[in-house]
Structure formats: C-alpha cells, structure tokens
C-alpha cells in the first residue's frame, strides 16, 4: 500500500469520527513530509524516523505500508468506523454549502478541502468560514474575507466549482456580522446563531426572522444550536417559534439546513416536519471542519430521506447553474 495513501486515509477516518484534530493533523502532516523527502531518505528507516513531522505512530504506518501490508492502525480504524446506510438521496446530492478551513476553525487549507470535495464527487463545494464576532473560531474580518475570496475561487476547474461563502453570525438584534457590500460579493451566505442561545423565545424568533429576511442570506444554519452527543457535551435547543421562522424562510427563499454532524442532528425531526409543511427549501450540509468530515453528508441524507424530504426541495441536489440562480 502506498504510505501517503495510508496516512491520508487514517487522517480522514479520524476526522470523520471527530477524533482529536491534532491527531488527524499529525497524519496529514506526516503524509506531506514523507511525500517531500528524497527517495533515499524514504527508504532509510533511521533517517526517516529522524525526519521532522514523522512520529512513532506515523513511522509504523509508513514502514508497514512499505512492506506491502495494510497498516495495523488503518485496519483497526476501518473496523471501528461503522458503515453508514447509503440512502438513495445521498446519491442525488451534488454539493455542500457549509464547510470550514484553517482560515477560521477548520484544520486544513482551502486547497486540501477543495481536493477532498473533488474526491467526494462534488460538483460544487462552498467554503463558509466564520465571521469576525466569533473570535474563538478566528472569524474573518472584512479584510481577511476579501483576501480569501479569490483564493477560494482559484480552486475551481475541470467540472468542479469552489464557491466563496461565509457562515455569518446572526447578532442579537438579527443583524448580520459582516458588511452588506461584501456579502453581496459572495456566492453563498449561511446565517447561524452562535451566541446567546438561551435568550427569550420571542426575542430569538424576532432575531432569526430578521436574519432570514436579509436579501443576501441563502441558508439558515443549524437552527436550534443543540448538541445531542460528543466530546463537547450536550446542549438543549434554543427556544423560538419554528412555524414563524420557517414561514419567513419560505417567503424569502432561504433554505433550512439539515446539518449532517451527528452531534447536532439539527433540526430535530419534529422541526423538519414543520419546515416541510411550511413549504421550505432545504440544504443538506456537512459543516465539515476537516476533509474527512465532508463524508458526513451520509448522515444528513439518511435523516432527510427518513423524514420524507423530497429531493426536489433540497437545493444541494440542484446543478450549479440552478443553485447560483437561486442564491443571487
């Protein structure tokens, strides 16, 4: 087995299972280090082990791969990762409108995320790093976002389009945490609540309605903010009038995100039913913070299919031209 392929597969599996980002990053770094080493160093165990970026675990993987074996750690991870039930709907998804890079709180570069999206078979992928108010996630100032946009779009080509976007914070009064003129330059705007999640239900309803009524918003991200499992613990959903918020989404052509992260499962099934009844569009998104998490779309597609969401109302089943026309 090729050592680089083995190291990258291990990194992807660790990312998909939301393992320590530092451990996954170590395997990605080792793959890059090994690839750049001269062939004589690659074949010399002593010099290879001494190379900066090659640790004990990654060295063992490389040596086993060089011996023509599937590395033991990769075998272990393949066995630990429960295969997802592949839904019919998953095969209809053509892209993903919510993902992060190292520009905010993701783990890898724009280029690596673009390559991973291509490998997933996506027709398009949006990069939606955080906005400035979310400092804990290194949210992008207007200046940094302007710098990022051309770098994102430069990754498009050969039938794949990397879309310039943002996950913009919905502020307490419903305003958006970025300049309107800059939002207008983007392909996709996902608006999400990240602060004051326990505010009064009436105030939260007004806050969310104001945001989805903004002409530049395309997707309402993880609407309840809940966490149901995982290392971050659990968090109850925010209180708001779902029927009123989803009516505003439907009126303004804003898609309700079905967030594919297993720790979120957001919206809950009962809210998906309300959004369906209200006539909303949907966007099945990975909310990936690492390349291996792009495959979490499996989870979101399975939930949407189980909830009876028709493919025709899921914007991420649409081709690029139709998607961009809707997002204008």
């Amino acid at each position: 087995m090729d050592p680089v392929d083995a190291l990258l597969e291990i990194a992807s599996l660790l990312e998909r299972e939301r393992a320590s980002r530092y451990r996954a990053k170590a395997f990605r770094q080792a793959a890059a280090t090994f690839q750049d080493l001269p062939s004589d160093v690659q074949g010399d165990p002593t010099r290879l082990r001494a190379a900066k970026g090659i640790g004990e675990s990654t060295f063992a993987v490389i040596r086993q791969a060089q011996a023509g074996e599937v590395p033991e750690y990769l075998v272990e991870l393949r066995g630990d990762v429960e295969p997802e039930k592949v839904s019919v709907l998953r095969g209809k998804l053509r892209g993903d409108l919510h993902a992060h890079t190292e520009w905010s709180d993701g783990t890898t570069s724009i280029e690596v995320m673009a390559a991973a999206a291509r490998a997933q078979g996506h027709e398009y992928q949006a990069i939606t790093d955080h906005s400035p108010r979310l400092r804990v996630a290194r949210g992008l100032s207007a200046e940094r976002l302007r710098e990022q946009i051309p770098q994102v779009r430069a990754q498009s080509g050969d039938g794949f389009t990397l879309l310039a976007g943002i996950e913009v914070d919905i502020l307490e009064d419903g305003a958006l945490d970025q300049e309107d003129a800059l939002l207008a330059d983007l392909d996709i705007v996902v608006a999400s609540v990240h602060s004051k999640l326990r505010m009064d239900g009436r105030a939260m309803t007004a806050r969310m309605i104001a945001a989805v009524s903004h002409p530049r918003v395309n997707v309402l991200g993880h609407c309840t903010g809940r966490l149901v499992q995982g290392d971050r613990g659990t968090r109850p959903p925010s209180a708001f009038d779902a029927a009123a918020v989803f009516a505003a989404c439907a009126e303004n052509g804003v898609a309700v995100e079905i967030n594919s992260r297993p720790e979120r499962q957001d919206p809950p099934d009962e809210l998906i039913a309300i959004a369906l009844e209200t006539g909303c569009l949907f966007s099945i998104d990975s909310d990936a913070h690492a390349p291996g998490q792009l495959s979490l779309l499996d989870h979101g597609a399975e939930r949407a299919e189980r909830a009876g969401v028709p493919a025709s109302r899921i914007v991420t089943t649409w081709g690029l031209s139709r998607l961009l026309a809707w997002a204008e």
Side-chain angles (χ1 to χ4, degrees):
M1 185 174 191
D2 181 75
V4 172
D5 290 344
L7 291 164
L8 291 178
E9 185 177 348
I10 288 170
S12 291
L13 290 171
L14 289 170
E15 289 161 353
R16 181 182 169 90
E17 295 307 296
R18 285 88 64 212
S20 162
R21 65 167 54 197
Y22 303 106
R23 187 157 184 77
K25 198 167 187 176
F27 281 89
R28 287 197 177 276
Q29 179 59 53
T33 298
F34 180 81
Q35 201 162 26
D36 290 343
L37 290 173
S39 58
D40 59 324
V41 177
Q42 290 179 347
D44 182 338
T46 302
R47 295 163 69 193
L48 176 62
R49 179 63 184 87
K52 185 178 180 180
I54 304 294
E56 182 178 346
S57 297
T58 56
F59 176 72
V61 167
I62 292 169
R63 294 298 293 158
Q64 289 169 13
Q66 287 176 325
E69 305 167 6
V70 178
E72 292 176 5
Y73 189 37
L74 179 53
V75 172
E76 177 185 334
L77 285 176
R78 285 173 173 174
D80 287 346
V81 175
E82 183 178 346
E84 281 302 311
K85 177 184 176 183
V86 179
S87 63
V88 172
L89 183 55
R90 176 65 181 91
K92 296 181 180 180
L93 296 182
R94 301 173 74 168
D96 181 353
L97 302 184
H98 187 169
H100 301 271
T101 74
E102 64 188 5
W103 282 66
S104 63
D105 61 346
T107 64
T108 60
S109 67
I110 295 167
E111 294 80 5
V112 170
M113 288 299 282
R118 287 175 183 268
Q120 285 286 313
H122 290 357
E123 181 180 340
Y124 49 83
Q125 173 68 55
I127 297 300
T128 54
D129 281 312
H130 289 286
S131 61
R133 196 69 66 92
L134 202 61
R135 293 177 183 172
V136 68
R138 298 182 62 244
L140 274 63
S141 64
E143 292 73 22
R144 289 181 67 214
L145 182 55
R146 287 191 183 95
E147 181 185 352
Q148 185 194 61
I149 291 170
Q151 296 187 40
V152 168
R153 291 180 172 149
Q155 295 300 311
S156 299
D158 299 323
F160 171 78
T161 301
L162 198 65
L163 301 170
I166 189 172
E167 184 181 15
V168 64
D169 256 28
I170 300 173
L171 304 180
E172 289 182 56
D173 62 356
L176 303 181
D177 182 32
Q178 193 49 273
E179 299 173 5
D180 277 2
L182 187 49
L183 294 177
D185 288 340
L186 297 171
D187 302 307
I188 293 293
V189 174
V190 178
S192 305
V193 173
H194 288 104
S195 62
K196 303 289 184 182
L197 296 174
R198 307 312 303 150
M199 71 189 302
D200 172 77
R202 289 185 180 181
M204 181 65 84
T205 300
R207 177 185 185 181
M208 295 171 76
I209 289 175
V212 301
S213 299
H214 190 288
R216 296 309 312 164
V217 171
N218 307 119
V219 179
L220 175 62
H222 49 68
C223 63
T224 76
R226 73 175 188 170
L227 294 173
V228 297
Q229 62 182 46
D231 293 341
R232 295 164 66 189
T234 60
R235 182 169 63 208
S238 296
F240 59 92
D241 183 337
V245 170
F246 294 154
C249 287
E251 180 180 350
N252 290 281
V254 171
V256 174
E257 178 180 74
I258 296 178
N259 190 287
S260 297
R261 297 189 71 90
E263 67 268 31
R264 287 192 180 276
Q265 297 180 39
D266 200 357
D269 290 348
E270 60 271 22
L271 264 61
I272 294 177
I274 294 172
L276 266 174
E277 179 67 24
T278 308
C280 291
L281 294 171
F282 296 86
S283 181
I284 298 176
D285 297 323
S286 67
D287 193 359
H289 286 65
Q293 293 173 5
L294 290 172
S295 66
L296 292 176
L297 287 180
D298 296 351
H299 289 283
E302 193 277 328
R303 286 195 68 222
E305 186 169 85
R306 181 161 35 86
V309 181
S312 61
R313 283 170 59 181
I314 299 170
V315 300
T316 43
T317 67
W318 298 352
L320 180 64
S321 296
R322 183 182 178 188
L323 180 89
L324 291 177
W326 159 76
E328 281 185 355

